Amino acid sequence: MKFIVYTDGACSGNPGPGGWGAIVGSILGKKVEIKELGDSEIATTNNRMELGSVLAALQYIDQQINNPDFSIQIYTDSVYVIKGITQWVFGWKKRGWKNAEGAAVVNQDIWEALDSVVYKLQKKMNNKIKWDYVRGHQGTPGNERCDKIAVALSKNDYVNLYHGSGENYLFDITEAPPTEPLPENKFTKAEKPKTQWYVVLKNGVITRFKTWSECEASVKGAPGVKFKKVTSEAEEAEVLKGWGR
């Protein structure tokens, strides 16, 4: 059996009301069955909805499996989802669900659930799930339908979620869509923010602060104080040298 999955998420305001949609096509010989999934949240983010759609689709597939002879192909327009589950998650787990800067991983609850079901399914079928990137809003039928479901649910509009034969569905899910390599650096800043801190010279004492709010509270109203944002040890050394330190 082969499973073909399309997923998408939507959010108005980010954070704000959101929805997600997924299409799961199961193919066994010439028999094709379609199951549409969708749900919404009152206050959420686009990334949580993207993750939620994939998680729900894989959990649904897990419930349908009764033998190890199956494969899973996922099409999504979320670089965040693909890079997260195929690259970033391994480092996060090694660091105890911390990112490279030592902060808690955003959306950890969904990432943990997704990582768990992916591991479970891949172990069952003794193979890896195939993840492919499809560019959103380019007329790909599966992506467009998931987007329509997600947007409608985010607005609390009614959506008729299809469940039935592939012969009567909106498009032929067995026909592979055009895919693209993952766009480079789309989430570099989101996942790996540039390291920076604030150096303060006050009353002859050097102090370092991680955030501007801490730095501002220290220097505000203080006479003769010096402060500077730096992004490396070398840059800090130059600043201190300029201050005669």
Side-chain angles (χ1 to χ4, degrees), residues 103-154:
V105 171
V106 178
N107 302 318
Q108 179 182 336
D109 56 332
I110 310 183
W111 280 118
E112 286 192 273
L114 182 59
D115 178 59
S116 177
V117 72
V118 165
Y119 175 80
K120 183 179 180 182
L121 286 168
Q122 291 185 157
K123 189 174 181 180
K124 277 186 178 181
M125 65 181 179
N126 197 30
N127 206 340
K128 289 187 175 182
I129 295 170
K130 192 169 188 302
W131 303 83
D132 277 311
Y133 173 75
V134 292
R135 189 173 295 277
H137 310 295
Q138 297 295 308
T140 302
N143 176 262
E144 295 292 343
R145 175 57 180 167
C146 287
D147 177 69
K148 185 175 182 179
I149 295 170
V151 171
L153 290 174
S154 73

Side-chain angles (χ1 to χ4, degrees), residues 6-40:
Y6 286 88
T7 68
D8 199 16
C11 188
S12 178
N14 203 32
W20 59 261
I23 304 167
V24 179
S26 57
I27 305 166
L28 183 60
K30 294 184 178 180
K31 183 180 179 182
V32 181
E33 183 171 312
I34 304 295
K35 174 70 172 179
E36 290 186 340
L37 304 167
D39 205 349
S40 63

Side-chain angles (χ1 to χ4, degrees), residues 34-133:
I34 304 295
K35 174 70 172 179
E36 290 186 340
L37 304 167
D39 205 349
S40 63
E41 290 186 18
I42 296 175
T44 187
T45 66
N46 187 70
N47 282 341
R48 287 188 71 83
M49 294 294 91
E50 295 281 5
L51 285 167
S53 62
V54 179
L55 176 60
L58 292 181
Q59 288 175 332
Y60 173 77
I61 290 173
D62 186 42
Q63 295 169 0
Q64 311 306 307
I65 298 302
N66 51 30
N67 69 73
D69 186 21
F70 69 98
S71 64
I72 301 174
Q73 166 72 65
I74 297 178
Y75 298 110
T76 175
D77 62 5
S78 174
V79 179
Y80 175 71
V81 168
I82 297 178
K83 285 196 173 183
I85 200 62
T86 64
Q87 300 176 28
W88 302 334
V89 70
F90 305 107
W92 292 340
K93 290 193 292 184
K94 285 182 180 179
R95 293 187 291 267
W97 289 99
K98 304 291 183 182
N99 63 23
E101 285 67 45
V105 171
V106 178
N107 302 318
Q108 179 182 336
D109 56 332
I110 310 183
W111 280 118
E112 286 192 273
L114 182 59
D115 178 59
S116 177
V117 72
V118 165
Y119 175 80
K120 183 179 180 182
L121 286 168
Q122 291 185 157
K123 189 174 181 180
K124 277 186 178 181
M125 65 181 179
N126 197 30
N127 206 340
K128 289 187 175 182
I129 295 170
K130 192 169 188 302
W131 303 83
D132 277 311
Y133 173 75

Side-chain angles (χ1 to χ4, degrees), residues 30-34 162 164-171:
K30 294 184 178 180
K31 183 180 179 182
V32 181
E33 183 171 312
I34 304 295
Y162 182 85
S165 170
E167 293 181 1
N168 303 318
Y169 194 52
L170 299 169
F171 66 96

